[in-house]
Amino acid sequence: MLTVSKPRDLQKLRRLALHGQGLTPASAFGHGRTAALRAIEHLGYVQLDSISVIERAHNHTWFSRVPNFNPSLSNDMLEQGEIYEYWAHAAAYMPMRDFRFSLIDKARVRAGEHRSKLPKDTKLMNKVMQRIRSDGPMSTRDLETPGTKRSGWWDWKPAKKAAERLYLQGDLMICSRVGFQKTYDLTERVLPGSTSTTVPSLSEWAKHLIDEQLNCHSLVTLPGITYSRRHAGLNRAVKAEVLNRVAMAELQQVQLPDNQVYYSRPGLLDQPLPRVSSQLQILSPFDNLVIQRARLQSLFNFDYQIECYVPAAKRRYGYFALPLLYRDELVGRIDCKAHRAQRRLALQSVHLQCKDSDIDSVCRALAAALPGFAKFQDCDSVSCEQVSPQSATRVLQRALAQHF
């Protein structure tokens, strides 16, 4: 087992993790549509979330890796069949080339072994299928609002649940998404003809996830490989494959200062120290880098919790605080809200967690990152309401004045 104790070695591991995520440099995948597709194929998924106080989480994750990413690209790639929507550890976009790895969970839903609490109204499900087959794709809005063409059976709550079950078990796919309005169509009409529909074995799925996570994280934990996937058989298959690769010297164990054990390909610390960008990154709370909170604490010493689900009186950092990545450290968080009618991005609170000697450079880097981030939110101006530590307030205000 490789034991990491030197600060420089831990720094190298952090940089390798950032490099694996395509965050250093920020243009690692290139520019435009090709880069967006290359990014999700490398990451394996991009998580969706319904919160809209700023631009949606999936577009934010792409924006952090693809310069000048246009939010319309995500739905365009969905409609063109380059990506598909399903569940990874949560609702997510995934590359269409990996479609067959969703088939095991879909079969489990159909058999009642997974998501068993979801209602199964076979009669209504058949009617939903018939209507979509005859009338074409239907959006969640169509399901919610009965129109003149719809029969009295179209009670939106049961119909939406029926459509969702059909989607989760693979009969329907989401062919378009505008905001959080999904449109369903028959899988046979959405799935590109060249897509493999061969159901993988658990061993194949395990190998796929291990390779994917090693590629995009550089070093992984056993729980991290199958993060929040509720499949005991998959967990066992991943563990068996990892231990086999360790025995074959194809993987090595790496123990961090907190005694957490990771797995990596051999020679990880023999690699050159990756360069990092001096451009500060404002990350989504659902970004692939930060979603595994225990990993974030272990590797980056950053204690992070999204507080939108925490009662307001108990919040420490705000409703939707975004982690700040500067060079190879997470240096704080900002709680943002886009006032789109006013075209103003409000920094409701800024919490810096860096050395006093770094406050000036972090404030300048944050101010330099905000014009592009504000534009991404369809905002022209930025307001700053509260800064911690208070000593950083004037520094940040001066830096912002140079950009707005």
Side-chain angles (χ1 to χ4, degrees), residues 58-77:
H58 53 284
N59 290 327
H60 188 170
T61 297
W62 262 305
F63 172 80
S64 296
R65 292 160 175 81
V66 180
N68 300 316
F69 177 81
N70 188 322
S72 66
L73 266 180
S74 57
N75 191 56
D76 187 40
M77 288 188 289

Side-chain angles (χ1 to χ4, degrees), residues 253-305:
Q253 292 180 305
V254 182
Q255 185 173 340
L256 267 58
D258 65 350
N259 296 321
Q260 179 66 256
V261 175
Y262 287 76
Y263 296 88
S264 75
R265 296 187 174 104
L268 187 67
L269 287 178
D270 296 332
Q271 297 182 36
L273 182 69
R275 297 177 62 187
V276 290
S277 173
S278 59
Q279 296 178 349
L280 182 142
Q281 290 273 27
I282 303 169
L283 300 179
S284 167
F286 302 101
D287 192 278
N288 297 52
L289 177 74
V290 305
I291 198 62
Q292 295 184 34
R293 311 305 193 207
R295 173 191 173 88
L296 201 64
Q297 176 73 61
S298 172
L299 192 56
F300 288 88
N301 193 30
F302 192 70
D303 182 14
Y304 182 68
Q305 177 187 16

Side-chain angles (χ1 to χ4, degrees), residues 321-341:
L322 314 178
L324 303 178
L325 173 66
Y326 181 58
R327 299 182 65 78
D328 54 20
E329 295 183 6
L330 288 156
V331 294
R333 56 202 95 194
I334 56 174
D335 181 36
C336 290
K337 183 174 182 178
H339 297 277
R340 296 179 178 91

Side-chain angles (χ1 to χ4, degrees), residues 132-268:
I132 292 177
R133 190 179 302 279
S134 63
D135 292 359
M138 300 197 75
S139 70
T140 48
R141 184 170 295 160
D142 296 326
L143 298 172
E144 291 170 3
T145 310
T148 55
K149 293 183 179 180
R150 294 174 179 79
S151 306
W153 61 267
W154 204 264
D155 181 347
W156 76 268
K157 287 185 178 179
K160 281 185 68 176
K161 290 177 181 178
E164 191 67 7
R165 185 177 183 94
L166 288 163
Y167 151 68
L168 288 170
Q169 70 182 36
D171 295 293
L172 297 178
M173 289 182 69
I174 294 168
C175 61
S176 183
R177 177 187 277 274
V178 179
F180 243 63
Q181 288 287 337
K182 299 181 286 190
T183 298
Y184 300 96
D185 199 359
L186 304 178
T187 293
E188 62 204 58
R189 295 200 295 229
V190 177
L191 200 62
S194 59
T195 306
S196 173
T197 55
T198 302
V199 180
S201 65
L202 281 180
S203 177
E204 287 178 300
W205 195 12
K207 291 175 182 177
H208 168 75
L209 285 175
I210 292 167
D211 291 336
E212 174 188 274
Q213 292 299 295
L214 286 169
N215 287 340
C216 73
H217 283 303
S218 296
L219 64 163
V220 299
T221 62
L222 279 175
I225 295 170
T226 57
Y227 178 69
S228 289
R229 293 178 184 268
R230 299 175 182 177
H231 195 311
L234 177 63
N235 293 339
R236 288 192 294 269
V238 164
K239 183 176 181 179
E241 177 63 20
V242 167
L243 294 180
N244 178 62
R245 294 190 189 189
V246 170
M248 298 292 290
E250 295 174 6
L251 289 179
Q252 65 178 358
Q253 292 180 305
V254 182
Q255 185 173 340
L256 267 58
D258 65 350
N259 296 321
Q260 179 66 256
V261 175
Y262 287 76
Y263 296 88
S264 75
R265 296 187 174 104
L268 187 67

